Amino acid sequence: MAVGKETPEEAVVVEIFKPRNDTRTYRRIILPNSLQVLLISDPDTDKCAASMNVGVGSFSDPEGLEGLAHFLEHMLFYASEKYPLEDSYSTYISEHGGRTNAYTSSEHTNYYFDVNADCFEEALDRFAQFFIKPLMSADATTREIKAVDSENQKNLLADAWRINQLQKHLSAEGHPYHKFSTGNWDTLEVKPKARGVDTRDELLKFYKENYSANLMNLVVYSKENLDKIESSVLSKFQEIRNINRDHLRFPGQPCSSEHLQVIVKTVPIKTGHKLRITWPVTPGIHHYMEGPSRYLGHLIGHEGEGSLFYILKKLGWANSLSAGESDWTMDFSFFKVVIDLSDAGHANVKHIIGLLFKYILLLQQSGVCKWIFDELSAICEMTFHYQDKIPPIDYVVKCSSNMQLYPLKDWLVGSSLPSNFAPGIIQSMLNELTPNSVRIFWESTNFEGHTDLTEPWYGTAYSVEKISSSIIQEWMDKAPEEHLHLPSPNVFIPTDLSIKNVQVKVNLPVMLRKSLYSRLWYKPDTTFSTPKAYVKLDFYCPFGGNSPEANVLTDISIRLLMDYLNEYTYDAQVAGLYYAISHTDNGFQVTLTGYSHKLRILLETVIKKITTFEVKPDRFYVIKELVTKQYENFRFQQPYQQAMYYCSLLLKDQSWPWNDELEVLSVLEPEDLLKFYPQILSRTFIECYAAGNIESNEAELMIQHVENEFFKGSNPVSQALFPSQHLANRIVNLKKGVNYCYTKEGLNRSDDNSALLHYIQVHQDDFKLNIKLQLVALIAKQPAFHQLRSVEQLGYITVLMQRNDSGIRGVQFIIQSTVKGPKHIESRVQAFLQMFESKLYDMPDDEYKSNVNALIEMKLEKHKNLREESGYFWREIQDGTLKFDRKEYEVAALKQLTKAELIQFFDEYIKAGAPLKKALSVQVYAHAHSTENTPDCNMVNIEDVFSFRRSRPLYGSFKGGIGHVKL
């Protein structure tokens, strides 16, 4: 039960349905200006947050000003009448441990932030001014159009953006779904100017006509009690204008008959083939308690035996399949099935479409099954009531979005709890999935040169063919005779959700067990009281990554293991028990997380599959093809991602270049893996972490079982490591006083973006140096963004962030730009560091203390859920640092740190020309900026990655062996 308020004066009791384990309190109020607000009180929170959902989006863009709503979203961050200093809102949030962002969708725009609790009042006041009296100066307007254009440039070669716009393009021109929503320099500057239209005038007009309090929903999440939050919200937000704007509706379907019954062949950027089959359907939001799209998505997207994906995989035609509702509003929606195809699948697309329609026919003929709905409903209910607490910033965005769509009682639930079994409603949506209304988008690089049309915004090549229902019937008739059937009952749904009795209350992981073969760290749940557990096993296999061949073969074997297990484990994942086998630099990791009741059953199955692994040639070739495409598509990564890859390659000992691995991959056969797999496992050490709703003896029994499977018995698959094999994770130690430079042309010549990664390596993990580095990064983060992004407009992606490579700490600037090459960007980073020098030197004592306090609060922030806590402790285990109580020591060091010591640290390690500075500039240049590619005489140019790596000493590894002797 939550107390809601219809008006500030009159309280009304309103029930907001919430999870059983949710101790937060809620209240709905409506301000005199008709702003609807959800107040959330959480005395346990470290971060406070707010989200404003405005009921207007890109569908409302004026004709000829595509992207105006999105552009307005950017502009509101700049300044307001009350806080006129440019970027002061973002600066305040950043300096007080917070984050802020926004997004524009078709029918709403959402603004949100979080911040340390003691600074929330002022942050909320600054936020409120977005919607009261923002300043949108002419100068800022012109600059921020460049940022919108840079954001669009980043997306031009991204297949997800391209296919999304193509689907919109092939719709009715009179419907807003057809529009280009993000905007660019052309739509917001060039074309309006040519027509004599002033974009800033239009911006102000759009804001004035659309940003009305009655179209807004606010969520405020605070430590304070509900009365205090209400008083604060009333004082800060009641000045928002209310012009009683009607909620905009966009009735009608975006697709007329000419856009249905079509097969669209399109050429993606990345190598591969994908099939997207969509139907316009009645929006499921109107029947969210009956959950028709959830029911159909569950069955069509199922991966267990007898499912569509199971059959396609067995035939070697598909690598993945997903199904569900997407692109929906209150007025229209699409049901979408997306299939990632193998080469063989691409050659059999007609059969695949035939099988999909056969499965839909099976669902129609089977009728809607009550037991399937009940099972799904039970899983949804369990998921809702035992949901993990998430960061407040994510929670407020979710709630404010729900406020626009659902009645008050379901603001926290949304559509996540289907409970009304209504077979007629499900059958009705199922009947909409017909050949008469289908849209088929078929992506393949094989279509290059075989298309005749071009989408105008992204330049995507495509062609359109009409396709009749009789042709689809023919494909159904000719499809392979496979036994498609409905899933069996899910055996993984937990029935025991009790909380285990923890014998020893410990706040930090303890080592429960150590042997020649493994080491077990244990951390029972003393905080979250959920029936969930987290188990990670890191198999350190020296032969699993000691050459390009070993790396590729280990990768393929892990993918094959996941592939073999998929039908069995899919039900576990549906029931909230997740697992993954992931490739590491030195072997692989097995991770299990979710409800603890049946976790051990899943773990034992996974371990058995690893120890009895066999190579199935048909699946080997499918996985090899998939991996090959992923390597080939490396060249289509964004330039900043390429720069990050080169930086890791330069710094990490025993890392292999992607092109070496691609070369190896091309000649591999099943026999190679058959011979190699036993070698991967022949020597291994298992680092284990068990946390959550697990008793210590259970954890020990789990690991004992794993040891028995690997190392015991008449024919063990593994032996213990020799002491000489334990060393791992070594990082190159850059030379003091040297600026290194590594320059490469971007791998995709069609990409006009260049990128710079400027990395400053500082030290190996040390409490005092850590906090100095972190404090400099915190203080510099927002000024760097303001100068390099807002003022100089170098590019949309402009980031200053810390870097941690196996305990080796540093800081890095990452900037991507179409307007300037990396040499120029490098010079601007150096100029910024000189500018920042004076900011640091002249910083008032109260501002310094404020930053120190912000960092302390960030460090003391409590973990929200078991997964977050486990990830934090696992990092210590993985790096070998084992400083589980790091926060306390670093906070103590921060409290002692003086401004003079911070400046001394900056002068020695960070500032331009600092004597101890170790810098690496990784420069990826676009073809258009190739004239800039001349050696810099102030830098040591790295010609060859591996000669460089061999020439430099390595930092000692924290993982010095079972006894963990630091080298």
Side-chain angles (χ1 to χ4, degrees):
M1 193 68 72
V3 179
K5 294 206 171 177
E6 291 302 311
T7 68
E9 300 84 23
E10 178 188 15
V12 179
V13 176
V14 179
E15 185 175 354
I16 298 177
F17 192 61
K18 68 178 191 175
R20 283 193 287 268
N21 63 351
D22 188 354
T23 57
R24 294 167 290 206
T25 54
Y26 299 85
R27 176 185 293 170
R28 190 272 292 259
I29 61 171
I30 299 175
L31 302 192
N33 59 357
S34 296
L35 175 68
Q36 191 163 220
V37 189
L38 175 64
L39 314 175
I40 305 174
S41 171
D42 180 2
D44 296 327
T45 193
D46 302 299
K47 281 277 200 293
C48 296
S51 169
M52 179 74 89
N53 194 76
V54 184
V56 62
S58 58
F59 276 8
S60 301
D61 285 344
E63 198 63 44
L65 276 164
E66 293 86 356
L68 191 68
H70 176 222
F71 178 44
L72 174 58
E73 171 228 298
H74 277 237
M75 286 303 300
L76 292 193
F77 282 80
Y78 266 82
S80 63
E81 197 171 281
K82 185 172 181 181
Y83 300 101
L85 187 64
E86 193 174 284
D87 265 355
S88 63
Y89 160 77
S90 299
T91 300
Y92 185 86
I93 298 290
S94 178
E95 286 178 351
H96 294 90
R99 294 176 292 154
T100 180
N101 212 332
Y103 66 85
T104 306
S105 69
S106 55
E107 293 188 322
H108 66 260
T109 307
N110 200 300
Y111 303 84
Y112 52 94
F113 76 92
D114 71 359
V115 75
N116 291 339
D118 61 346
C119 314
F120 186 52
E121 280 298 301
E122 183 173 337
L124 194 63
D125 191 56
R126 290 170 176 274
F127 182 68
Q129 298 306 310
F130 279 31
F131 313 102
I132 297 171
K133 285 190 177 171
L135 293 179
M136 295 183 258
S137 70
D139 174 50
T141 302
T142 306
R143 278 188 281 123
E144 201 56 26
I145 291 174
K146 291 178 182 173
V148 170
D149 186 64
S150 176
E151 186 178 355
N152 179 63
Q153 291 278 350
K154 167 183 75 72
N155 301 333
L156 287 178
L157 297 177
D159 284 324
W161 285 93
R162 293 164 70 86
I163 193 69
N164 183 49
Q165 190 61 46
L166 180 60
Q167 289 171 327
K168 292 177 168 205
H169 181 64
L170 296 174
S171 66
E173 287 188 27
H175 195 285
Y177 178 73
H178 182 81
K179 291 180 177 181
F180 168 59
S181 60
T182 53
N184 60 25
W185 183 253
D186 205 36
T187 67
L188 295 170
E189 175 69 13
V190 178
K191 285 181 178 173
K193 198 170 268 184
R195 299 195 311 270
V197 172
D198 185 303
T199 301
R200 181 168 175 268
D201 288 347
E202 292 296 322
L203 189 72
L204 297 169
K205 181 182 169 191
F206 186 87
Y207 179 84
K208 190 176 177 185
E209 291 180 355
N210 291 288
Y211 273 50
S212 174
N214 74 305
L215 292 185
M216 297 180 184
N217 292 298
L218 173 67
V219 179
V220 177
Y221 190 115
S222 171
K223 276 180 94 80
E224 304 294 349
N225 65 47
L226 291 171
D227 289 337
K228 273 194 176 176
I229 308 172
E230 179 179 329
S231 172
S232 171
V233 166
L234 183 61
S235 68
K236 292 176 174 59
F237 290 89
Q238 63 183 349
E239 288 180 53
I240 298 175
R241 283 181 324 123
N242 178 23
I243 54 172
N244 281 314
R245 187 93 157 90
D246 288 336
H247 273 274
L248 293 170
R249 293 290 297 266
F250 301 92
Q253 288 296 323
C255 298
S256 56
S257 58
E258 69 177 290
H259 307 116
L260 304 176
Q261 290 189 291
V262 291
I263 187 158
V264 181
K265 293 178 180 174
T266 175
V267 183
I269 298 296
K270 290 186 173 180
T271 305
H273 326 282
K274 197 161 274 191
L275 199 55
R276 300 171 195 266
I277 300 125
T278 75
W279 297 263
V281 292
T282 304
I285 183 78
H286 298 304
H287 305 289
Y288 69 92
M289 295 300 289
E290 293 75 23
S293 58
R294 186 180 284 266
Y295 178 92
L296 295 177
H298 170 66
L299 292 178
I300 297 172
H302 209 279
E303 297 182 17
E305 196 173 328
S307 67
L308 174 63
F309 178 67
Y310 175 83
I311 299 300
L312 295 179
K313 196 182 118 179
K314 193 174 87 169
L315 293 165
W317 291 353
N319 300 313
S320 68
L321 183 150
S322 62
E325 204 176 354
S326 69
D327 285 346
W328 61 269
T329 70
M330 298 296 282
D331 295 292
F332 70 87
S333 182
F334 293 97
F335 190 90
K336 188 176 290 186
V337 178
V338 182
I339 308 171
D340 187 48
L341 305 171
S342 63
D343 289 347
H346 175 70
N348 286 282
V349 156
K350 292 175 183 178
H351 287 333
I352 292 171
I353 295 168
L355 282 167
L356 169 60
F357 276 99
K358 277 176 93 164
Y359 192 76
I360 290 169
L361 181 63
L362 167 72
L363 295 182
Q364 289 169 333
Q365 292 172 341
S366 304
V368 179
C369 298
K370 187 171 190 303
W371 76 264
I372 293 177
F373 181 87
D374 288 346
E375 184 180 90
L376 197 57
S377 179
I379 291 170
C380 289
E381 186 175 2
M382 182 177 65
T383 302
F384 177 72
H385 285 297
Y386 292 102
Q387 63 184 277
D388 289 337
K389 204 170 184 181
I390 60 173
I393 192 169
D394 300 324
Y395 195 62
V396 293
V397 170
K398 178 183 145 189
C399 293
S400 66
S401 301
N402 281 352
M403 286 169 74
Q404 187 170 317
L405 301 166
Y406 300 96
L408 169 60
K409 71 181 178 67
D410 290 328
W411 280 356
L412 309 183
V413 177
S415 59
S416 65
L417 273 184
S419 54
N420 298 344
F421 180 60
I425 287 171
I426 297 173
Q427 194 71 44
S428 177
M429 182 175 276
L430 182 57
N431 292 339
E432 291 182 284
L433 309 185
T434 71
N436 295 328
S437 62
V438 75
R439 286 155 56 89
I440 299 168
F441 291 81
W442 182 5
E443 300 168 53
S444 174
T445 35
N446 291 10
F447 294 142
E448 198 157 347
H450 300 284
T451 58
D452 57 352
L453 297 166
T454 305
E455 189 279 316
W457 297 108
Y458 290 80
T460 308
Y462 72 99
S463 61
V464 183
E465 300 167 33
K466 288 298 275 184
I467 181 171
S468 67
S469 51
S470 60
I471 288 174
I472 289 179
Q473 184 60 54
E474 194 181 311
W475 293 351
M476 289 171 69
D477 296 339
K478 289 182 178 175
E481 284 300 320
E482 296 287 345
H483 183 42
L484 291 161
H485 60 82
L486 296 180
S488 305
N490 190 334
V491 298
F492 273 104
I493 298 174
T495 52
D496 179 1
L497 294 167
S498 60
I499 305 298
K500 302 283 173 69
N501 183 27
V502 177
Q503 302 295 328
V504 186
K505 301 273 184 187
V506 289
N507 293 320
L508 301 173
V510 293
M511 195 197 301
L512 264 193
R513 182 178 183 279
K514 187 170 79 169
S515 74
L516 275 175
Y517 311 113
S518 72
R519 182 168 51 174
L520 171 61
W521 298 93
Y522 172 65
K523 167 68 177 69
D525 179 10
T526 54
T527 310
F528 309 111
S529 297
T530 63
K532 295 178 181 179
Y534 182 101
V535 173
K536 191 180 276 281
L537 296 91
D538 185 21
F539 292 81
Y540 176 54
C541 311
F543 298 117
N546 61 0
S547 69
E549 288 92 342
N551 217 40
V552 170
L553 285 164
T554 304
D555 187 21
I556 290 177
S557 64
I558 284 155
R559 290 169 187 260
L560 281 169
L561 283 164
M562 294 275 285
D563 184 76
Y564 299 164
L565 283 160
N566 191 62
E567 291 82 55
Y568 177 80
T569 59
Y570 183 74
D571 273 349
Q573 294 181 52
V574 168
L577 180 53
Y578 303 94
Y579 96 105
I581 310 175
S582 53
H583 188 194
T584 65
D585 293 337
N586 304 297
F588 60 95
Q589 287 177 359
V590 175
T591 309
L592 295 97
T593 177
Y595 298 106
S596 54
H597 179 206
K598 299 185 179 180
L599 184 143
R600 183 168 174 177
I601 299 168
L602 181 59
L603 175 64
E604 290 181 2
T605 305
V606 171
I607 294 301
K608 176 60 74 178
K609 189 64 80 173
I610 293 170
T611 56
T612 59
F613 176 76
E614 55 181 318
V615 180
K616 299 176 183 173
D618 59 334
R619 297 310 299 163
F620 174 89
Y621 287 118
V622 169
I623 297 296
K624 176 184 168 180
E625 179 194 306
L626 179 67
V627 174
T628 302
K629 283 175 186 165
Q630 288 178 351
Y631 275 108
E632 288 172 345
N633 286 327
F634 179 83
R635 66 184 184 276
F636 299 118
Q637 283 193 331
Q638 298 241 1
Y640 81 89
Q641 294 170 315
Q642 293 176 35
M644 290 168 74
Y645 157 77
Y646 289 128
C647 188
S648 291
L649 194 64
L650 286 157
L651 294 176
K652 283 171 66 177
D653 185 42
Q654 281 221 327
S655 54
W656 315 109
W658 71 278
N659 40 344
D660 285 7
E661 294 182 336
L662 179 59
E663 187 180 323
V664 165
L665 190 56
S666 63
V667 296
L668 289 182
E669 294 295 327
E671 299 73 40
D672 297 307
L673 184 54
L674 196 63
K675 287 177 197 163
F676 181 72
Y677 186 80
Q679 193 181 348
I680 301 173
L681 298 185
S682 63
R683 297 271 173 190
T684 190
F685 181 79
I686 312 169
E687 189 89 70
C688 317
Y689 178 77
N693 196 39
I694 297 181
E695 291 172 346
S696 57
N697 64 319
E698 285 183 282
E700 291 194 62
L701 285 170
M702 273 188 204
I703 301 318
Q704 185 61 61
H705 174 81
V706 175
E707 275 196 14
N708 291 343
E709 290 289 308
F710 272 79
F711 303 100
K712 308 290 169 65
S714 56
N715 191 22
V717 295
S718 289
Q719 290 178 277
L721 294 188
F722 292 115
S724 59
Q725 292 179 299
H726 272 279
L727 216 73
N729 304 334
R730 310 274 316 257
I731 301 298
V732 166
N733 189 339
L734 300 177
K735 192 173 183 179
K736 292 174 183 174
V738 174
N739 288 326
Y740 295 97
C741 181
Y742 182 68
T743 307
K744 291 287 280 186
E745 183 171 5
L747 294 168
N748 179 9
R749 286 174 71 94
S750 302
D751 196 328
D752 293 332
N753 288 284
S754 287
L756 169 78
L757 188 155
H758 180 94
Y759 167 61
I760 302 168
Q761 188 181 75
V762 180
H763 67 285
Q764 187 164 31
D765 192 44
D766 171 276
F767 291 142
K768 285 189 177 176
L769 287 172
N770 290 352
I771 53 128
K772 291 173 186 176
L773 178 68
Q774 290 159 10
L775 193 54
V776 166
L778 175 67
I779 296 168
K781 180 182 173 184
Q782 192 56 33
F785 181 86
H786 174 69
Q787 182 60 34
L788 301 172
R789 158 81 147 70
S790 300
V791 177
E792 299 187 26
Q793 284 296 335
L794 291 175
Y796 177 74
I797 294 173
T798 301
V799 184
L800 168 61
M801 61 193 293
Q802 294 173 61
R803 185 180 177 113
N804 180 1
D805 298 282
S806 303
I808 312 307
R809 307 293 185 112
V811 67
Q812 59 189 1
F813 293 81
I814 299 172
I815 301 169
Q816 183 166 291
S817 178
T818 49
V819 291
K820 297 291 181 183
K823 287 275 187 292
H824 176 85
I825 302 170
E826 170 70 31
S827 71
R828 300 317 302 152
V829 168
Q830 298 295 347
F832 167 75
L833 285 172
Q834 288 174 339
M835 184 191 308
F836 179 71
E837 206 174 304
S838 55
K839 173 181 168 61
L840 196 60
Y841 293 170
D842 300 338
M843 179 179 284
D845 288 343
D846 59 341
E847 189 180 331
Y848 169 75
K849 284 175 186 162
S850 173
N851 278 290
V852 168
N853 290 335
L855 186 53
I856 288 172
E857 287 184 36
M858 289 163 73
K859 287 192 169 298
L860 294 178
E861 188 178 337
K862 294 187 284 282
H863 298 296
K864 307 292 178 297
N865 53 59
L866 179 65
R867 191 188 289 234
E868 192 181 292
E869 178 191 84
S870 298
Y872 175 82
F873 289 133
W874 178 254
R875 182 69 192 258
E876 295 289 337
I877 296 166
Q878 185 164 266
D879 288 349
T881 43
L882 303 180
K883 294 172 182 171
F884 300 124
D885 50 2
R886 167 184 305 280
K887 288 181 179 181
E888 289 73 15
Y889 282 97
E890 291 188 348
V891 166
L894 262 171
K895 287 176 177 174
Q896 300 297 317
L897 185 69
T898 66
K899 191 173 84 170
E901 288 175 304
L902 185 70
I903 289 170
Q904 183 185 358
F905 167 82
F906 179 80
D907 287 349
E908 288 180 349
Y909 294 100
I910 307 292
K911 83 170 187 179
L916 300 180
K917 184 171 181 178
K918 302 188 287 187
L920 169 62
S921 176
V922 180
Q923 305 182 2
V924 175
Y925 61 90
H927 184 64
H929 301 138
S930 56
T931 51
E932 279 192 28
N933 183 32
T934 51
D936 191 323
C937 58
N938 297 318
M939 291 184 164
V940 174
N941 287 289
I942 298 170
E943 301 293 337
D944 175 72
V945 171
F946 310 104
S947 299
F948 166 73
R949 271 194 348 208
R950 286 189 290 269
S951 74
R952 293 299 310 149
L954 303 174
Y955 279 99
S957 171
F958 285 107
K959 302 195 85 167
I962 297 176
H964 265 69
V965 178
K966 184 177 169 184
L967 299 182

